[in-house]
């Protein structure tokens, strides 16, 4: 008997959770993905949708990305605790590099390095 093929997750997709990682983990991860790819897809289920929207808005408001596509749907899932089928909301946001991504990202990296150097100098004996 053949097993059903699970669709491959694209290498530029970030599946966002609202409990596993802090918000800026996803912001920084998206920036790293955009250094390697022209686009990044943020995906979230249920309560994590607020987190994915916030991540996308931070990236857009900083001029790093442009929104290319927004998709919503419901997906059938299994509630293992209650052993029943449930539906969850799903959102996918496709973001593309802005024309100024490389320039703005380089400025952000320089600022982070300067901040880390200042912190190290302050805590040095």
């Amino acid at each position: 008997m053949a097993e059903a093929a699970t669709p491959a997750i694209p290498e530029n997709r970030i599946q966002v959770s609202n409990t596993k990682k802090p918000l800026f983990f996803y912001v920084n991860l998206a920036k790293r993905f955009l250094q390697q790819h022209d686009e990044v897809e943020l995906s979230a289920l249920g309560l994590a949708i607020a987190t994915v929207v916030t991540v996308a808005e931070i990236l857009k408001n900083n001029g790093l990305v442009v929104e290319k596509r927004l998709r919503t749907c419901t997906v059938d899932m299994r509630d293992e605790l209650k052993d029943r089928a449930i539906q969850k909301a799903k959102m996918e946001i496709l973001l593309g590099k802005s024309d100024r991504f490389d320039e703005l990202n380089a400025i952000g990296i320089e600022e982070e390095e300067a901040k880390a150097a200042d912190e190290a100098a302050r805590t040095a004996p």
Side-chain angles (χ1 to χ4, degrees), residues 28-66:
N28 292 325
L29 184 61
K31 288 179 188 179
R32 282 197 300 268
F33 274 43
L34 286 164
Q35 289 172 343
Q36 299 169 8
H37 308 281
D38 289 332
E39 300 175 334
V40 65
E41 182 179 288
L42 304 175
S43 177
L45 291 174
L47 297 174
I49 289 173
T51 303
V52 86
V53 170
T54 303
V55 170
E57 287 301 311
I58 289 169
L59 293 166
K60 285 178 8 183
N61 290 338
N62 286 317
L64 296 167
V65 299
V66 292

Side-chain angles (χ1 to χ4, degrees), residues 7-24:
I9 297 174
E11 61 183 31
N12 66 333
R13 177 183 290 171
I14 299 172
Q15 294 180 291
V16 175
S17 165
N18 66 333
T19 58
K20 293 184 180 174
K21 302 283 183 189
L23 178 70
F24 276 90

Side-chain angles (χ1 to χ4, degrees), residues 47-96:
L47 297 174
I49 289 173
T51 303
V52 86
V53 170
T54 303
V55 170
E57 287 301 311
I58 289 169
L59 293 166
K60 285 178 8 183
N61 290 338
N62 286 317
L64 296 167
V65 299
V66 292
E67 187 177 308
K68 290 187 155 189
R69 185 183 75 227
L70 176 68
R71 189 182 126 182
T72 61
C73 62
T74 54
V75 292
D76 294 323
M77 303 194 73
R78 188 113 199 118
D79 183 340
E80 293 180 15
L81 294 174
K82 297 179 181 176
D83 195 35
R84 65 182 175 128
I86 58 170
Q87 286 192 324
K88 280 203 170 189
K90 180 178 183 178
M91 178 178 278
E92 296 174 345
I93 304 173
L94 182 65
L95 302 171

Side-chain angles (χ1 to χ4, degrees), residues 34 59-66 96-108:
L34 286 164
L59 293 166
K60 285 178 8 183
N61 290 338
N62 286 317
L64 296 167
V65 299
V66 292
K97 283 184 185 180
S98 71
D99 292 339
R100 297 187 60 209
F101 174 82
D102 293 324
E103 171 191 348
L104 293 171
N105 195 44
I107 291 169

